[in-house]
Amino acid sequence: QQQVKQSPQSLIVQKGGIPIINCAYENTAFDYFPWYQQFPGKGPALLIAIRPDVSEKKEGRFTISFNKSAKQFSLHIMDSQPGDSATYFCAAPYSGSARQLTFGSGTQLTVLP
Amino acid sequence: NAGVTQTPKFRILKIGQSMTLQCTQDMNHNYMYWYRQDPGMGLKLIYYSVGAGITDKGEVPNGYNVSRSTTEDFPLRLELAAPSQTSVYFCASSYIGISNQPQHFGDGTRLSIL
């Protein structure tokens, strides 16, 4: 079973700050590492994903950095806004037949105005 | 396009009761999943299905059953509710093929067992 360690558990930043969330995985047989964003009362929604043949991917204010040799990847949120306050989950593919994802335990981000 | 729809949104059960959580998707996805989310624990996979008529256990299947008679529907059954099954349950679907697509989630069913 894949293990994914996510840190920190919670994070508070001021508006305009750059929160960074880190994840480490054990092994993978597939090529897809997504981040999900979850607002209270809603299901997780895909935020951004990266394939391990690149070291960085940007989509708007969100950037994933990927270090395949260290088996780590991180999410950076540039110019964070109060509307970014949510819980963020990283996930890593699990080498099972169902192309399962193993999720991190989540990071609750609060962006203060 | 509704995506993944879960019903009910909330439910309170007594210990020993049974119920079915409904999930339907309109994206013609082949894969469907059931997760439970407990505070601070992320998402744990209960069961999954790779297509109609095919289901398999995930990480935490005990106390649950599933069926997949159609591509669209993937209900989750609790036969004898226990307090440990108090959780938020999410259904998800995705297309897995040559190019894997992300999982799309419903908004969850909040279940309390008293």
Side-chain angles (χ1 to χ4, degrees):
Chain A
Q1 175 69 29
Q2 171 83 274
Q3 297 291 327
V4 176
K5 295 183 179 180
Q6 183 173 346
S7 63
Q9 185 175 3
S10 63
L11 190 54
I12 301 174
V13 299
Q14 294 286 340
K15 177 183 176 181
I18 306 176
I20 300 173
I21 304 170
N22 300 298
C23 282
Y25 64 96
E26 292 182 341
N27 54 68
T28 180
F30 301 106
D31 59 356
Y32 176 72
F33 292 80
W35 284 89
Y36 284 83
Q37 181 187 54
Q38 184 180 30
F39 293 104
K42 295 294 186 179
L46 180 69
L47 181 65
I48 184 174
I50 193 169
R51 301 195 183 278
D53 54 350
V54 297
S55 59
E56 185 176 278
K57 181 176 181 179
K58 292 183 180 180
E59 285 188 4
R61 295 182 293 105
F62 300 92
T63 299
I64 300 179
S65 298
F66 191 87
N67 185 332
K68 189 173 183 178
S69 61
K71 297 184 180 179
Q72 295 176 347
F73 57 113
S74 60
L75 175 69
H76 300 228
I77 305 175
M78 308 301 290
D79 187 27
S80 58
Q81 302 296 311
D84 297 330
S85 297
T87 300
Y88 293 82
F89 294 94
C90 62
Y94 166 51
S95 55
S97 61
R99 309 292 180 95
Q100 300 167 29
L101 291 175
T102 299
F103 287 83
S105 55
T107 296
Q108 186 169 353
L109 172 66
T110 302
V111 181
L112 301 175
Chain B
N1 192 339
V4 178
T5 303
Q6 293 184 238
T7 56
K9 295 187 182 301
F10 304 94
R11 185 71 183 267
I12 298 174
L13 285 181
K14 294 182 179 179
I15 295 172
Q17 288 185 321
S18 62
M19 77 163 294
T20 299
L21 282 66
Q22 301 292 342
C23 175
T24 186
Q25 53 96 5
D26 61 1
M27 296 172 283
N28 200 32
H29 286 168
N30 50 355
Y31 280 60
M32 295 188 75
Y33 310 84
W34 273 106
Y35 294 91
R36 60 176 289 171
Q37 184 178 35
D38 300 307
M41 298 296 291
L43 292 154
K44 300 294 184 183
L45 183 65
I46 304 171
Y47 270 95
Y48 63 89
S49 169
V50 304
I54 306 171
T55 63
D56 208 345
K57 297 177 180 179
E59 184 180 357
V60 290
N62 291 343
Y64 307 95
N65 279 298
V66 294
S67 60
R68 182 107 180 262
S69 58
T70 67
T71 299
E72 296 79 17
D73 300 308
F74 191 41
L76 177 71
R77 178 82 176 167
L78 282 72
E79 291 293 349
L80 291 171
S84 62
Q85 294 177 305
T86 293
S87 188
V88 182
Y89 292 84
F90 288 100
C91 179
S93 70
S94 66
Y95 178 76
I96 303 295
I98 296 175
S99 173
N100 295 341
Q101 298 299 312
Q103 294 185 19
H104 296 257
F105 286 81
D107 284 337
T109 293
R110 285 147 186 83
L111 181 63
S112 294
I113 314 297
L114 303 177

